[in-house]
Amino acid sequence: MEMLGLKDGGVYVDLTFGAGGHTSKILEVANVTVIAIDRDPYTKKFADKLKEKYGERFHYFNFEFADFDKALKNLNISEVDGILMDLGFSSMQVDNAERG
């Protein structure tokens, strides 16, 4: 969180949303907006829970992270204050042989 330099009112992008752990923490510690991207449609169920809790402070898109500009355009956002990418492997996919 410290490395992102979170500031209230900022816009941050989580390009590897997964189960939403990083996004959830960002939303807890600062009054910011998070745009979450994940290509795995399975992650939507985690996003739905965060949308319920944080409303317009949270936006989720089922895209490849390389296409995050589409999400920004969709929201009429031209600048962000920080970007997070967790490039480790996804245990959610490895744990399930049909997915990983």
Side-chain angles (χ1 to χ4, degrees):
M1 298 302 105
E2 190 175 318
M3 297 288 287
L4 279 172
L6 299 175
K7 62 181 181 181
D8 285 347
V11 176
Y12 297 85
V13 181
D14 182 350
L15 292 177
T16 51
F17 176 72
H22 290 111
T23 290
S24 184
K25 186 66 172 175
I26 292 167
L27 290 164
E28 284 175 20
V29 300
N31 185 19
V32 299
T33 298
V34 175
I35 301 161
I37 312 287
D38 204 296
R39 84 182 284 177
D40 184 352
Y42 179 78
T43 63
K44 185 174 183 323
K45 71 179 187 176
F46 302 109
D48 289 344
K49 290 179 184 175
L50 287 181
K51 186 66 174 177
E52 271 184 46
K53 185 172 182 178
Y54 293 103
E56 288 304 306
R57 291 181 50 212
F58 175 72
H59 303 277
Y60 168 84
F61 293 89
N62 182 224
F63 294 157
E64 293 183 23
F65 63 71
D67 293 328
F68 82 95
D69 61 319
K70 293 178 187 176
L72 297 180
K73 286 178 187 173
N74 184 285
L75 297 168
N76 284 329
I77 294 174
S78 59
E79 294 182 5
V80 299
D81 297 290
I83 297 175
L84 169 75
M85 294 179 76
D86 180 356
L87 298 176
F89 71 89
S90 172
S91 62
M92 291 188 307
Q93 293 175 351
V94 175
D95 291 345
N96 184 333
E98 290 81 39
R99 298 185 66 237

